[in-house]
Amino acid sequence: MSKKRVAYYYDGDVGAFTYGLGHPMKPHRIRMTHDLVSAYDMLDKMHVLRPKRATPETMTAFHTDEYIHFLNRVTPETAEELTYHGTRFLMGEDNPAFEGVFEFCSISAGGSISAAQRITCGAADIAINWAGGLHHAKKREASGFCYINDIVLGILELLRTYPRVLYIDIDCHHGDGVEEAFYTTDRVMTCSFHKFGEYFPGTGTQEDRGRDKGRNYAVNVPLKDGITDEAFKNVFEPVIAKILEVFRPSAVVLQCGADSLAGDKLGCFNLTMQGHAHCVQFLRQQNIPLILLGGGGYTTKNVARTWTYETACALGIENEIDQNLPWNEYFEWFGPRYRLEVPENNMEDLNVKDGSLDKVRATALQQLSQIPC
Ligand code: VJV
Ligand code: CA
Ligand code: ZN
């Protein structure tokens, strides 16, 4: 395992934003992650950078001027007026006009754009932005807790230098915003693993595989409740290995949404921290420039554990770190065991019961075999 140059983007202000009382999305988990990363003494093993905040102009590389203008001036007080007397840009309770929403978005997007630049200029092998990964945001609309699509902006930055970019999404939800943005191009392959069936956002069947030049360049892996580490690995590895073979990406962007972990408040999978992090380990060993982004994850202590462990994986020091958590500012949140672990639970894996996972994998591999060499 060779050493890699890791760039880690973090803005100390990000943890103070709040979507509002009772909202499941908690930016504070980014701060908890950072504190744990710091407590494990990982900060001096990588380049820790504060991202330049994304400007309205840079955001319009993907979003419309009207939408960015709206987001830049909306406040909790004016939200109703702006929402109902004009075009609908926000989506009800999922996407409230919280205090500082634009600043939060500029931190998240700024991190992913900076990460992409760090990779393209050759200064890093792996770049991390746990405040990114907000995959549902659309060109002219907020959706599913996401306002600005930092991922699309980051990939557009990579495309200025690289011919082909691979996007992989292991969040429990479908990566619809990123898929849609690159649906008709063969320069970006998108691959989302997600729960499908009576679940937000409702898209991501295997029939949806890209259009025109982009046909077969959108890969969807729809899953059922309760997938375990072993079953996930048995679909992730062959599908991603095949993509690497036929697509030969110049860079990989991995959305590490942590709502695919066992026990997540909104998720319905049964991955352990190790099973989730295996995706990071698998991609790191390919020796292709890699960007790691955050995303969903609603049981915050498990999000912090997993993204901390995945930061260690990026550094290649995961086998050296103590399973007992070091003292940190949020230590009491990690009781009663105070360990760096997310164990599986006893839910049934509906993917293996009826052989549906084998069919899904076979369909994805069949699709990929149609990509010209
Ligand atoms: O299922 C939905 C949409 C509704 C309408 C709005 N109500 C609140 C919920 C049902 C149909 N939205 C999902 C969005 C999930 C977004 C996931 C984002 C990511 O992880 O993929 C990437 C960051 C949803 N599921 C659960 C909730 N919304 C939810 C929203 C709340 C809430 C409780 C649950 C918003 C406010 C409050 N409670 C107070
Ligand atoms: Ca996904
Ligand atoms: Zn999600």
Side-chain angles (χ1 to χ4, degrees):
M1 273 288 158
S2 66
K3 286 288 162 207
K4 307 261 186 193
R5 294 162 302 158
V6 179
Y8 169 93
Y9 287 90
Y10 177 73
D11 187 313
D13 293 340
V14 75
F17 293 94
T18 160
Y19 278 55
L21 209 65
H23 197 291
M25 178 56 106
K26 301 192 185 305
H28 184 248
R29 72 212 166 111
I30 315 291
R31 188 185 165 141
M32 288 174 68
T33 302
H34 181 78
D35 263 69
L36 205 46
V37 165
S38 169
Y40 270 113
D41 288 329
M42 285 190 250
L43 295 180
D44 52 12
K45 297 182 173 66
M46 54 194 178
H47 291 279
V48 180
L49 301 158
R50 190 180 188 127
K52 213 177 126 233
R53 292 182 183 201
T55 62
E57 293 70 44
T58 50
M59 292 173 181
T60 59
F62 174 55
H63 298 282
T64 65
D65 292 4
E66 296 75 31
Y67 175 53
I68 297 303
H69 180 74
F70 162 83
L71 203 63
N72 198 6
R73 48 192 292 270
V74 72
T75 67
E77 294 73 34
T78 62
E80 209 171 341
E81 183 192 346
L82 290 174
T83 305
Y84 295 106
H85 295 274
T87 330
R88 257 172 88 247
F89 293 118
L90 299 181
M91 295 299 293
E93 268 199 293
D94 277 355
N95 291 84
F98 63 84
E99 190 76 57
V101 62
F102 187 82
E103 196 184 348
F104 171 75
C105 293
S106 71
I107 292 170
S108 164
S112 298
I113 295 167
S114 303
Q117 288 167 343
R118 192 85 184 171
I119 293 290
T120 55
C121 77
D125 304 308
I126 304 179
I128 302 175
N129 176 28
W130 296 129
L134 303 181
H135 59 179
H136 298 305
K138 307 288 160 37
K139 192 180 167 84
R140 55 184 86 243
E141 187 178 75
S143 168
F145 317 161
C146 308
Y147 301 80
I148 293 296
N149 203 314
D150 63 286
I151 309 167
V152 171
L153 294 170
I155 293 173
L156 288 173
E157 189 64 37
L158 293 173
L159 289 174
R160 293 173 61 172
T161 303
Y162 297 133
R164 290 176 306 281
V165 174
L166 170 61
Y167 172 67
I168 304 170
D169 185 317
I170 61 169
D171 189 290
C172 191
H173 298 92
H174 177 227
D176 59 348
V178 186
E179 177 182 283
E180 186 179 297
F182 300 112
Y183 207 59
T184 60
T185 178
D186 56 2
R187 291 186 62 200
V188 178
M189 182 171 280
T190 61
C191 179
S192 175
F193 299 80
H194 48 270
K195 151 82 178 177
F196 183 81
E198 289 171 51
Y199 197 64
F200 186 88
T203 47
T205 74
Q206 287 186 296
E207 274 96 79
D208 296 333
R209 44 154 111 178
R211 202 192 321 126
D212 303 334
K213 267 190 143 179
R215 181 156 171 86
N216 292 323
Y217 290 80
V219 181
N220 281 303
V221 183
L223 302 167
K224 298 180 182 174
D225 288 20
I227 196 162
T228 58
D229 292 352
E230 195 199 351
F232 193 85
K233 182 176 169 178
N234 284 338
V235 60
F236 183 88
E237 275 198 9
V239 169
I240 299 303
K242 183 76 180 170
I243 289 176
L244 296 174
E245 177 196 325
V246 301
F247 184 61
R248 292 173 293 107
S250 339
V252 178
V253 176
L254 177 62
Q255 195 267 22
C256 302
D259 48 8
S260 42
L261 291 168
D264 187 81
K265 227 172 113 179
L266 296 189
C268 50
F269 290 168
N270 198 6
L271 299 184
T272 69
M273 179 183 77
Q274 301 283 349
H276 195 272
H278 177 74
C279 302
V280 174
Q281 294 171 315
F282 182 79
L283 288 162
R284 183 186 189 270
Q285 75 191 24
Q286 306 300 326
N287 296 319
I288 302 169
L290 178 63
I291 296 182
L292 302 179
L293 304 175
Y298 306 99
T299 301
T300 55
K301 58 190 179 177
N302 289 342
V303 178
R305 286 178 166 113
T306 301
W307 289 349
T308 297
Y309 185 68
E310 289 172 347
T311 304
C313 291
L315 290 165
I317 59 164
E318 67 269 38
N319 294 323
E320 294 152 39
I321 75 174
D322 196 340
Q323 302 299 292
N324 294 312
L325 293 173
W327 170 254
N328 66 91
E329 200 175 338
Y330 305 104
F331 190 73
E332 67 274 23
W333 293 48
F334 298 100
R337 285 169 59 82
Y338 305 98
R339 287 181 63 82
L340 189 65
E341 64 183 5
V342 178
E344 65 176 13
N345 56 42
N346 62 3
M347 78 192 290
E348 192 180 4
D349 182 351
L350 299 179
N351 295 278
V352 288
K353 225 175 61 159
D354 55 352
S356 70
L357 192 66
D358 296 329
K359 278 172 72 181
V360 165
R361 178 182 47 234
T363 304
L365 293 175
Q366 148 68 22
Q367 174 186 334
L368 291 165
S369 72
Q370 294 176 31
I371 303 251
C373 297

